Amino acid sequence: MNRLIVAALFAVGLVSLANAASPALSPAEQKMVASIKERSPAALELLQKAVYINSGTMNPEGVRDVGKLFRAELDALGFTTKWVDMPPEMLRAGHLVATRTAKGKHKGKRLLLIGHLDTVFEKDSPVTPWKPDGKRIAGQGVSDMKGGNVIIIEALRAMQAAGTLDQATISVIFTGDEERVGSPIDVARADMITLARQSDVALAFEGMIRDVNGNEFASIARRASGGFTVNITARQGHSSGVFGPIGGYGAGYEAARIINAFREQLQEPNLTYSVGLMLVGTEVEFDDTLSKGTAAGKRNVIPPKGIVTGDLRYLTHEQRDRVRARMTEIVSKSLNGTSATVNFVESYPPMAPTDGNMEIFKVYTRVSEDAGLGKIELTAPSTRGAGDIQFVAPFLDCLDGLGAVGGGSHSPSEYLNPESIERNAIRAAILMHRLTR
């Protein structure tokens, strides 16, 4: 990409960063800021290279190619890198892992930095890979989360330029299947959990939230991503006998009873349950892998079969267990002539708010203010989806949402605010510097 174009993009949004170095920053931190500002055009060029490589989760070659791009950057920074392959039957590319151990006596926090290489845009996606448009750049995975990966690289490079990287113990993992985690999950996330057990703090670089007023948010809590499936059986019979002692209510009314009881009886903070698919009829087939189903029935027949499946999100394991028990109880109170069971799955565990997470957040918002970049706010858990950091949350203190600012994730209109690469690389570099001291 032409450097003049890159410079022009940044010139629009970075006036506030052109101020003199903040007196609240140490000399080393001021060097980091200067280094990141100097490299802003080059950082955007690195992002462009990454975005031009299609790396949909189910395009393993593309995922590996993006991994090679970032691996070269980490190699140049003195990290020991490796590519971790997944078993062939998992149909996933694998993960990039990089480690660097502090030289001499180590007193600071050991950090684990988390990003992901894959996007929701598969190889046949018609979405333009890279499209600058005024203050925004649209493209495949530009903010979710190749922009966050570049922020990690630029923050580490700034620490190296300031001479502080040698004093830090840092691990990096860029997963290749965050958007569609491979199964079994314990295999897909084994390396990440191993790194977490060897670290003190995890920092994840999923996109930073910025509201319409310009307020910026980070996350110390994320809700679990799971689901429920209700299977219903009923007596088949002539529709004229519906509601009667012989015909019963049928699978349709039983499905309606259950989901309405969920709505009425399960209302509490940080809990949501959305019905994604419902099938009722004399014949019902559902493919959970493809999330597709078919149903057949007649108007004059009481339907004997039904299935309801949906999303289930909660903030803590205690909330999960309590809600699952209540849903099971509701399902068990079947209408006459019907019977139902419910099963649950959990893809991403919850990342509950903790005092340790809050302490890391306090350091981060202080860093932002010291750098003259304003205060960071805490986002509500309900505003975010699930992310990789949730797999390591039980083992160490965590902070997420440190990546690029953008919008339209998982859609053809996904975009990036390019000035956020510089802003959040500055914040990340100083945060990592202070934590590793």
Side-chain angles (χ1 to χ4, degrees):
M1 185 175 184
N2 187 293
R3 288 180 178 269
L4 292 177
I5 296 176
V6 174
L9 282 168
F10 273 88
V12 175
L14 294 183
V15 175
S16 62
L17 297 185
N19 300 326
S22 168
L25 301 182
S26 70
E29 291 168 348
Q30 292 179 24
K31 288 182 181 179
M32 293 177 198
V33 173
S35 172
I36 290 169
K37 289 183 178 181
E38 182 180 358
R39 274 195 50 85
S40 285
L44 205 56
E45 288 179 355
L46 175 61
L47 176 58
Q48 183 185 27
K49 290 178 182 178
V51 173
Y52 262 115
I53 302 171
N54 177 277
S55 58
T57 310
M58 307 311 293
N59 178 14
E61 291 183 1
V63 173
R64 292 189 188 99
D65 286 343
V66 177
K68 290 176 184 177
L69 178 69
F70 289 121
R71 184 174 186 174
E73 301 292 330
L74 291 164
D75 285 338
L77 290 168
F79 281 80
T80 299
T81 63
K82 65 178 180 179
W83 184 262
V84 180
D85 285 310
M86 293 292 102
E89 61 271 19
M90 287 178 62
L91 303 177
R92 298 297 186 273
H95 315 309
L96 174 61
V97 172
T99 56
R100 205 177 196 283
T101 303
K103 297 179 179 179
K105 192 173 182 180
H106 177 72
K107 294 182 179 180
K109 302 287 187 183
R110 299 168 298 173
L111 305 184
L112 171 60
L113 313 182
I114 300 174
H116 66 83
L117 304 167
D118 64 317
T119 77
V120 299
F121 303 96
E122 295 299 340
K123 200 170 184 177
D124 59 353
S125 172
V127 176
T128 302
W130 181 268
K131 184 181 178 182
D133 181 17
K135 292 184 179 181
R136 294 179 173 183
I137 297 172
Q140 298 181 9
V142 67
S143 61
D144 185 16
M145 68 168 291
K146 292 178 180 179
N149 298 339
V150 169
I151 287 171
I152 291 175
I153 298 295
E154 294 305 311
L156 292 170
R157 200 190 315 273
M159 292 179 70
Q160 184 186 56
T164 65
L165 189 57
D166 284 343
Q167 303 164 36
T169 294
I170 299 176
S171 299
V172 181
I173 183 166
F174 288 164
T175 59
D177 62 349
E178 193 271 350
E179 299 293 0
R180 194 173 176 185
V181 179
S183 179
I185 291 177
D186 59 346
V187 174
R189 291 297 174 266
D191 295 275
M192 179 182 289
I193 291 173
T194 296
L195 292 173
R197 292 182 182 275
Q198 299 167 355
S199 306
D200 303 304
V201 174
L203 305 175
F205 289 77
E206 291 280 4
M208 173 175 281
I209 293 175
R210 180 187 292 168
D211 67 16
V212 294
N213 297 315
N215 300 310
E216 294 177 310
F217 300 80
S219 303
I220 64 167
R222 298 185 72 150
R223 296 188 301 164
S225 175
F228 67 91
T229 299
V230 178
N231 287 284
I232 302 166
T233 59
R235 299 175 193 152
Q236 182 172 338
H238 197 288
S239 61
S240 63
V242 72
F243 310 143
I246 297 176
Y249 283 77
Y253 284 107
E254 175 67 349
R257 177 195 71 82
I258 290 170
I259 61 176
N260 190 57
F262 288 173
R263 180 186 65 84
E264 290 182 336
Q265 301 178 36
L266 295 173
Q267 296 288 338
E268 58 182 78
N270 298 311
L271 173 67
T272 56
Y273 37 89
S274 174
V275 175
L277 181 146
M278 181 165 61
L279 299 167
V280 172
T282 55
E283 297 295 332
V284 169
E285 293 184 1
F286 174 63
D287 187 324
D288 189 43
T289 301
L290 299 178
S291 297
K292 292 183 178 181
T294 60
K298 293 186 176 182
R299 294 179 180 176
N300 61 352
V301 176
I302 299 173
K305 299 178 182 179
I307 186 168
V308 179
T309 187
D311 181 68
L312 178 61
R313 295 178 187 261
Y314 40 84
L315 187 57
T316 67
H317 287 112
E318 183 277 331
Q319 186 177 44
R320 176 197 66 188
D321 295 343
R322 175 167 40 78
V323 169
R324 284 184 176 182
R326 184 67 183 122
M327 293 176 83
T328 301
E329 181 183 4
I330 289 171
V331 169
S332 70
K333 296 180 178 180
S334 297
L335 294 172
N336 176 43
T338 71
S339 177
T341 60
V342 60
N343 298 306
F344 302 97
V345 295
E346 182 178 89
S347 301
Y348 285 79
M351 173 178 151
T354 67
D355 291 341
N357 294 359
M358 178 59 77
E359 289 305 312
I360 303 301
F361 169 76
K362 289 178 180 177
V363 176
Y364 186 59
T365 191
R366 177 62 185 271
V367 162
S368 183
E369 292 178 289
D370 287 351
L373 299 176
K375 186 179 180 181
I376 303 292
E377 307 286 348
L378 272 180
T379 186
S382 59
T383 62
R384 301 207 69 115
D388 271 338
I389 196 169
Q390 293 167 233
F391 292 108
V392 303
F395 308 108
L396 71 180
D397 298 331
C398 297
L399 184 64
D400 199 357
L402 310 185
V405 174
S409 294
H410 295 201
S411 79
S413 59
E414 179 172 332
Y415 69 88
L416 166 87
N417 295 120
E419 43 80 24
S420 68
I421 300 292
E422 180 177 301
R423 288 173 63 86
N424 287 348
I426 289 172
R427 288 167 168 152
I430 300 172
L431 173 66
M432 293 191 290
H433 168 72
R434 293 185 181 182
L435 292 176
T436 55
R437 298 282 72 76

